[in-house]
Amino acid sequence: MTHEVAMVESDPSQATDASGWSAARYNQVASFVYSSAFTSPVLELLAPQAGERIVDFGCGSGEITLELKKAVGSDGRVVGVDSSSSMIDKAKLAGLEHAFVADIQTPADLPEALLASTNQFDAVFSNAALHWCKRDPMGVMLSVKRMLKPGGRFVGEMGGFMNCVGVRSALHVALRRRNHDPVTMDPWYFPSVHDYQSLLSSAGFKVLHISLNPRYTPILAGLGAWLELFVRHSFLRELGDEEAKEVINEVAELCAVDSQDAQGQWALMYMRLRFHAVLSAP
Ligand code: BEZ
């Protein structure tokens, strides 16, 4: 079986924004991320209540954020934040009025509308975003603390230790073979239970629950499309198109032995780190 991957760069409706994301492409390749089958465990942990104020950090194109909005009702308030303008534009179009572009790793750069509501939120929620916050995980904690009331909860799910095992090592191999330094290029932060629990505790949270949960994840669009979406504009952003294509083809080739079945269907083993923490009173 060949693993030649078609590049989709030339489709203008799927152009990426300055942060490297395209909401249209994300919705096409990765809608499983916000499917109810995959999000119900973390939403049960959050248990949003009518009248609550909730911030969604890394809200993407807003599908879950809009569910939260429904859950809190007209007496509540839900705000979405994402580093991608493409995602935020899509979330606004879908009906999320309070949606802002910001890097949640830098508390001082949070939008004015949020900084004006410091320590007024009942909960900060995050799904499938915090593993992109490798630059400053403690910065994320400080942003969350800015938002929460004392006793407020921080509930989230992210890639954890051993997430998408195999893909990451194949990327490192393919890049090292081409004299790149995969360690500095690697954008992913996949902490263990021990490491994330320590981070939460050192930031002043009481951890009520934290666990690693393996999740078999069919990749219906194929690993090539997955790599184009999740890797081309992050891990491989310094590479030209030709070399990026070679790396993607080689990674698909290396991963096929574990991740592609006899019918040609792809799947990855996602490892979700799920947690529920509360902000201790000062
Ligand atoms: C994740 O959701 O765990 C993930 C998605 C893409 C790349 C890396 C991790």
Side-chain angles (χ1 to χ4, degrees):
M1 197 170 293
T2 172
H3 298 101
E4 269 288 307
V5 170
M7 305 296 254
V8 287
E9 272 321 296
S10 51
D11 181 347
S13 70
Q14 306 217 333
T16 53
D17 66 12
S19 71
W21 290 104
S22 150
R25 194 183 303 178
Y26 192 85
N27 295 157
Q28 196 176 71
V29 173
S31 58
F32 61 85
V33 172
Y34 47 83
S35 67
S36 61
F38 285 173
T39 57
S40 56
V42 70
L43 287 173
E44 275 167 31
L45 213 49
L46 176 67
Q49 304 296 314
E52 283 194 318
R53 295 175 157 214
I54 300 178
V55 189
D56 184 352
F57 271 180
C59 65
S61 42
E63 288 76 10
I64 307 178
T65 331
L66 287 167
E67 278 183 48
L68 298 180
K69 198 178 140 192
K70 226 182 276 170
V72 304
S74 53
D75 291 339
R77 182 174 175 217
V78 171
V79 180
V81 181
D82 202 277
S83 63
S84 158
S85 58
S86 171
M87 296 287 191
I88 289 296
D89 288 348
K90 188 92 193 283
K92 284 183 171 167
L93 270 179
L96 189 67
E97 302 97 323
H98 308 294
F100 302 94
V101 179
D103 180 352
I104 58 172
Q105 297 172 92
T106 309
D109 289 351
L110 288 173
E112 271 303 312
L114 276 181
L115 292 175
S117 310
T118 292
N119 302 128
Q120 290 183 17
F121 286 87
D122 299 288
V124 174
F125 172 78
S126 184
N127 182 56
L130 301 176
H131 46 257
W132 295 105
C133 296
K134 179 185 179 186
R135 181 179 62 75
D136 193 354
M138 181 50 95
V140 173
M141 299 290 144
L142 299 178
S143 293
V144 174
K145 287 175 75 173
R146 278 259 180 117
M147 296 297 100
L148 287 180
K149 295 172 173 172
R153 57 204 198 280
F154 179 26
V155 175
E157 186 171 306
M158 64 192 287
F161 180 59
M162 292 188 71
N163 194 41
C164 300
V165 65
V167 176
R168 198 184 201 181
S169 43
L171 279 159
H172 279 236
V173 167
L175 286 167
R176 210 172 282 120
R177 272 186 3 91
R178 291 169 175 80
N179 295 319
H180 294 291
D181 176 7
V183 176
T184 54
M185 295 165 81
D186 191 331
W188 295 331
Y189 170 59
F190 296 148
S192 64
V193 163
H194 173 270
D195 287 352
Y196 214 66
Q197 179 149 23
S198 301
L199 182 71
L200 285 160
S201 302
S202 65
F205 290 93
K206 181 171 178 208
V207 181
L208 302 183
H209 172 90
I210 186 162
S211 60
L212 266 184
N213 304 273
R215 189 189 74 204
Y216 173 83
T217 303
I219 306 296
L220 299 179
L223 191 62
W226 188 95
L227 290 163
E228 266 292 314
L229 176 72
F230 286 119
V231 168
R232 173 67 186 103
H233 299 281
S234 56
F235 220 128
L236 306 183
R237 71 168 173 264
E238 291 162 27
L239 272 49
D241 283 346
E242 221 19 68
E243 195 175 25
K245 187 175 174 188
E246 279 174 29
V247 169
I248 286 175
N249 287 337
E250 184 172 329
V251 168
E253 197 85 46
L254 286 166
C255 292
V257 62
D258 283 322
S259 286
Q260 192 176 32
D261 69 16
Q263 284 68 49
Q265 299 303 308
W266 291 91
L268 291 174
M269 189 54 83
Y270 273 49
M271 189 66 85
R272 311 321 283 164
L273 183 70
R274 199 174 294 140
F275 60 88
H276 175 189
V278 290
L279 187 57
S280 311

